[in-house]
Amino acid sequence: MAEAVARRTAGQVVTDIARLTGHLKNEGTATAGTTTSLTDATNQRTPTAQEKSVIGKYLYLPSGTGAGDSHELSAYSTIGVMVWAVAGTAPTSTSTWL
């Protein structure tokens, strides 16, 4: 029997909704992480002079280690390093982010 709707993970649905509603600022795959930070030295290239455009935004991990975690960014002091206040699961190189 055919499916009327393709099977999708919750992370894929969140990614599509964010993209279609214009709420997706950037996305990528982590290159490193701790319980309170995620580093993406490849995809996140917001200049530090524009750190206020990143602080207060939300980071969502749709897949990989920490999938489903969401964090409000509290600091952005180095290009590619996003920091939040409340500890969560440490992202790894398998973690994708929005």
Side-chain angles (χ1 to χ4, degrees):
M1 176 175 217
E3 294 180 19
V5 178
R7 293 178 189 231
R8 304 180 56 71
T9 66
Q12 290 169 324
V13 172
V14 169
T15 301
D16 288 346
I17 290 170
R19 186 176 291 116
L20 291 169
T21 59
H23 291 95
L24 181 61
K25 181 172 178 72
N26 203 352
E27 63 184 307
T29 302
T31 54
T34 70
T35 58
T36 57
S37 70
L38 180 143
T39 300
D40 184 343
T42 306
N43 299 299
Q44 175 55 319
R45 306 307 298 164
T46 302
T48 54
Q50 296 175 354
E51 68 179 296
K52 291 188 192 292
S53 71
V54 176
I55 295 172
K57 302 295 190 264
Y58 283 83
L59 176 83
Y60 177 71
L61 304 173
S63 66
T65 304
D69 282 4
S70 179
H71 304 284
E72 182 178 6
L73 300 179
S74 60
Y76 183 81
S77 58
T78 304
I79 292 177
V81 180
M82 298 165 277
V83 179
W84 53 88
V86 180
T89 302
T92 66
S93 61
T94 66
S95 305
T96 59
W97 62 272
L98 311 173

